[in-house]
Amino acid sequence: MNEPVHEETDGRAGADPWGRRRRAGAATVFAVAGVLIAVTIWARHDAGAAGGTLAVDIAAGAAAWLLSPVLLWRPVPVALVLTALAAVSAAATPAATIAALQVAQRRPFPVAAGVGAAGIAAHVVQGLWQPPGGISFGWWLLLIAAGYGALVGWGALARARRALLISLSERARRAEAEQGRRVAEARMAERTRIAREMHDVLAHRLSLLATYAGALEYRPDAPPEKLSQAAGVVRAGVHQALDELREVIMLLRGEDTAEEGRPQPVLADVPHLVRESRDAGGTVELRDEVAEPDALPAAAGRTAYRVVQEGLTNARKHAAGLPVTVALEGRPGTRLVIDIRNPLPPAGAGPAAPGSGTGLVGLTERVRLAGGRLDHQATAGEFRLRAWLPWPA
């Protein structure tokens, strides 16, 4: 056999590409069947069986012996041929019973039961033609039926056990692959979350730098101390932006970042955002009507901070020099409402700094994941950004 031979079971146990296991099994069946057939022929004629049947027993036994290894490749057809030989001579009985066991191990139970029933019928013919000695025909047939029943049951049990092991192995493999996929998705989700944080921080930082740089460009007549102060702010902002950009690059490379040790912003840090915008020359009004701000959960506070940060960043980009109003309202047991407004820029005015256009998309998803809702629209001559976040009691 030069071609790869595939294992054939009802559960399809798999493949043995080089046929080594099957050839080893065929050699075992060949040896066992040969010994049993030889012992059967010797026992029958040593006990004084009719001499005329010796030639029939030898011929049937030899044919059954030569066919027995083929059981591992064609179990059902070969089993039926061996069953027919068993109807002619008891010498073929060992090979026929081995065939019934092989069929039960490799084929569904109805097929195995059919082969077993055919074997019992063949032995009825054999017993009528060559009556067994030393035992009544009824008891002999009962023993034959019990033997075939045991072989079919044993083979079916072995087949079911093998199918169960294959199924468990496949489930374990799938579970391992699923676990690996879940771990990869969790890592990707965490990296995406951190990247979103970095995007918000960088966008805010760079928009501030653009504002200060614009002041240096358009106010060259400012006092030297003001110019020096603005240049210092630009230098410090560039250093901070580079540090944050380095963390983004490490994140995209799949490396660990130092975010765990970084203090996360909360609602109490919103006034600092407003001061930064005012220091950059912006006109920002903060209306803080939040009761018990320290009671707001940290996750909701961080989301609220990012909403205000994105709102101020967008105002500096698209409505530079125009006033911005930030209103915060909420208390435990209700919800936190964030309202950011600024007048629309004059028609034809371009943004002060380029943007990707995805900031509000990511912000909407962030608020949704926090259990809230975000809405933004341009109406009545102003741009309005509103967010609602849950605040459990």
Side-chain angles (χ1 to χ4, degrees):
M1 303 296 294
N2 295 325
E3 296 181 357
V5 179
H6 298 282
E7 193 71 20
E8 292 184 12
T9 67
D10 186 58
R12 294 299 184 262
D16 181 9
W18 307 107
R20 286 191 292 267
R21 285 185 299 174
R22 187 166 294 187
R23 285 194 291 269
T28 301
V29 170
F30 188 67
V32 172
V35 171
L36 293 177
I37 290 170
V39 169
T40 301
I41 295 174
W42 178 82
R44 276 173 52 79
H45 293 277
D46 185 64
T53 62
L54 177 60
V56 176
D57 287 344
I58 292 176
W65 182 42
L66 294 175
L67 281 174
S68 59
V70 190
L71 278 170
L72 278 76
W73 282 267
R74 296 290 183 270
V76 176
V78 174
L80 294 177
V81 173
L82 293 175
T83 299
L85 289 174
V88 176
S89 170
T93 294
T97 53
I98 292 175
L101 178 61
Q102 288 293 321
V103 171
Q105 290 179 338
R106 296 171 176 272
R107 292 295 181 265
F109 180 77
V111 177
V115 171
I120 295 173
H123 281 80
V124 171
V125 175
Q126 180 195 124
L128 293 175
W129 180 45
Q130 299 176 356
I135 188 174
S136 67
F137 178 77
W139 281 107
W140 176 81
L141 186 59
L142 181 61
L143 292 175
I144 291 295
Y148 268 99
L151 290 173
V152 171
W154 181 18
L157 180 62
R159 178 176 174 275
R161 180 178 178 275
R162 184 167 60 248
L164 176 61
L165 292 176
I166 292 171
S167 175
L168 292 176
S169 176
E170 180 67 15
R171 287 183 183 180
R173 186 189 65 79
R174 289 181 180 176
E176 184 178 357
E178 181 68 15
Q179 177 65 18
R181 184 185 65 82
R182 284 197 296 266
V183 170
E185 288 181 351
R187 288 176 177 171
M188 182 59 66
E190 180 64 14
R191 289 173 183 172
T192 302
R193 184 189 67 80
I194 300 173
R196 190 183 296 121
E197 293 279 342
M198 293 297 103
H199 165 271
D200 295 340
V201 173
L202 282 174
H204 172 72
R205 186 72 55 197
L206 293 178
S207 66
L208 284 177
L209 291 178
T211 302
Y212 277 106
L216 289 174
E217 179 180 4
Y218 294 108
R219 294 294 305 275
D221 57 340
E225 60 273 11
K226 291 291 185 180
L227 295 177
S228 176
Q229 179 184 1
V233 171
V234 170
R235 179 177 56 81
V238 168
H239 287 167
Q240 290 177 344
L242 287 176
D243 290 340
E244 290 156 356
L245 182 60
R246 187 179 299 111
E247 291 188 10
V248 174
I249 294 174
M250 292 173 64
L251 174 67
L252 296 178
R253 288 177 177 173
E255 302 174 6
D256 294 333
T257 66
E259 197 216 27
E260 293 182 359
R262 176 195 297 273
Q264 295 298 304
V266 292
L267 186 64
D269 295 315
V270 168
H272 177 69
L273 274 178
V274 173
R275 284 195 300 272
E276 282 187 335
S277 295
R278 289 171 179 169
D279 291 343
T283 303
V284 182
E285 179 185 359
L286 176 61
R287 299 174 184 172
D288 190 351
E289 299 179 6
V290 176
E292 303 180 36
D294 294 337
L296 184 68
R302 184 161 56 252
T303 301
Y305 179 92
R306 297 305 183 194
V307 170
V308 177
Q309 185 180 60
E310 183 67 22
L312 294 177
T313 300
N314 283 340
R316 280 193 298 270
K317 286 181 179 179
H318 303 285
L322 298 179
V324 182
T325 301
V326 178
L328 306 175
E329 181 182 356
R331 58 180 46 83
T334 58
R335 60 181 181 176
L336 176 66
V337 181
I338 305 169
D339 187 282
I340 304 174
R341 306 183 186 191
N342 61 266
L344 293 175
S356 63
T358 61
L360 289 177
V361 175
L363 188 64
T364 302
E365 179 66 12
R366 180 194 294 273
V367 173
R368 187 187 68 81
L369 291 175
R373 184 167 62 91
L374 184 136
D375 181 36
H376 54 87
Q377 60 180 340
T379 179
E382 67 177 7
F383 182 82
R384 188 175 185 182
L385 177 67
R386 286 175 61 86
W388 297 265
L389 293 170
W391 191 344

